[in-house]
């Protein structure tokens, strides 16, 4: 059972159309519990090697699978294959680049079809989870629906999403508020969906402090390496 599912069950929210962009392997899906509950799901996965696994694993459930990457245009896009951290090669920052020092090589890239998210979104999504290794902004930018809950990969170890300014501005303009953060994701809710409790606010603040301290640790390491002996 995922953390997202447990927390939302505790809030007694109902969903009618869930969506995940960047599923990777079916067993790692952030919305797998909702799928297994029989809620119609839209699944978007760019890696052609895992698309069939997703279809087979969830064949008995009401799912629609889009075998595309989400980007700023419709056409073709180059991905750098890094297993669960596969990312758009054109990005200047991604978890693989920042945390794993991944080196982009032609032999580990693949060309895939890409679409604006507005081509996929029918306007009825009420729970959205996005984990596409730095490209999350391009889902929000073309989002037609206004889900009650949005989960985005925004951080992790030394990584910060390269579009955080755009993401935060979008959330503010569309009246979303941060609910909680875990090791890699930020989860937002539409304002007034439910009250955020005092302990939840404290936990969020502590998480934000921990994330900030980890980033400072990275900068201290870099400064130490650059300083003369």
């Amino acid at each position: 059972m995922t953390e997202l599912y447990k927390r939302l069950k505790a809030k007694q929210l109902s969903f009618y159309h869930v969506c995940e962009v960047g599923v990777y392997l079916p067993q790692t899906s952030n919305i797998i519990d909702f799928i297994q509950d029989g809620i119609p799901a839209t699944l978007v996965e760019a890696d052609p090697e895992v698309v069939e696994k997703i279809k087979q694993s969830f064949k008995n459930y009401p799912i629609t699978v889009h075998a595309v990457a989400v980007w700023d245009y419709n056409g073709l896009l180059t991905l750098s294959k890094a297993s669960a951290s596969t990312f758009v090669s054109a990005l200047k920052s991604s978890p693989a680049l920042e945390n794993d020092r991944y080196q982009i090589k032609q032999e580990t890239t693949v060309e895939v079809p890409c679409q604006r998210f507005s081509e996929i979104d029918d306007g009825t999504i009420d729970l959205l989870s996005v984990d596409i290794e730095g490209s999350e902004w391009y889902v929000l930018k073309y989002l037609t629906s206004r889900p009650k809950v949005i989960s985005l990969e925004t951080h992790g170890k030394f990584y910060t999403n390269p579009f955080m300014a755009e993401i935060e501005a979008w959330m503010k303009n569309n009246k979303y508020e941060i609910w909680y953060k875990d090791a890699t994701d930020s989860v937002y809710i539409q304002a007034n969906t439910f009250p955020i409790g005092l302990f939840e606010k404290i936990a969020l603040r502590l998480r934000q402090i921990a994330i900030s301290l980890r980033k400072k640790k990275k900068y201290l390491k870099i400064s130490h390496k650059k300083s003369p002996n």
Side-chain angles (χ1 to χ4, degrees), residues 64-226:
T64 301
V65 181
H66 296 266
V68 298
V70 172
W71 195 240
D72 208 20
Y73 57 78
N74 298 331
L76 296 174
L77 191 66
T78 301
L79 300 182
S80 288
K81 301 263 292 182
S83 299
S85 297
T86 295
F87 62 97
V88 174
S89 301
L91 288 172
K92 294 181 179 180
S93 178
S94 78
L97 293 170
E98 297 294 333
N99 297 332
D100 306 326
R101 298 181 181 180
Y102 184 90
Q103 298 295 315
I104 297 176
K105 300 176 182 178
Q106 186 173 357
E107 59 267 28
T108 55
T109 61
V110 60
E111 193 172 60
V112 299
C114 63
Q115 287 184 331
R116 294 187 182 96
F117 194 66
S118 53
E119 302 284 327
I120 296 169
D121 182 4
D122 68 357
T124 68
I125 297 166
D126 51 10
L127 170 62
L128 174 66
S129 176
V130 190
D131 181 351
I132 46 177
E133 309 299 314
S135 300
E136 287 77 9
W137 164 241
Y138 294 111
V139 175
L140 288 185
K141 184 177 180 180
Y142 295 102
L143 184 63
T144 302
S145 300
R146 289 297 180 267
K148 288 183 281 189
V149 180
I150 301 177
S151 175
L152 303 174
E153 184 182 40
T154 56
H155 58 275
K157 198 175 179 181
F158 303 133
Y159 166 75
T160 300
N161 193 294
F163 296 101
M164 275 312 301
E166 291 87 346
I167 290 169
E168 289 174 350
W170 189 95
M171 292 296 175
K172 181 179 179 180
N173 292 337
N174 288 278
K175 297 180 172 56
Y176 283 80
E177 57 184 328
I178 183 73
W179 175 23
Y180 74 90
K181 293 186 179 186
D182 62 19
T184 60
D185 298 350
S186 296
V187 181
Y188 300 85
I189 61 171
Q190 280 185 332
N192 303 316
T193 299
F194 54 76
I196 298 174
L198 176 60
F199 289 115
E200 290 175 315
K201 292 178 180 178
I202 293 171
L204 173 61
R205 181 59 182 154
L206 292 174
R207 176 70 73 175
Q208 289 172 327
I209 291 170
I211 292 169
S212 179
L213 289 174
R214 177 159 285 186
K215 290 175 187 174
K216 287 180 180 178
K217 182 179 178 182
K218 174 187 178 182
Y219 296 137
L220 287 172
K221 282 184 177 181
I222 293 172
S223 299
H224 178 72
K225 287 180 180 179
K226 289 182 178 179

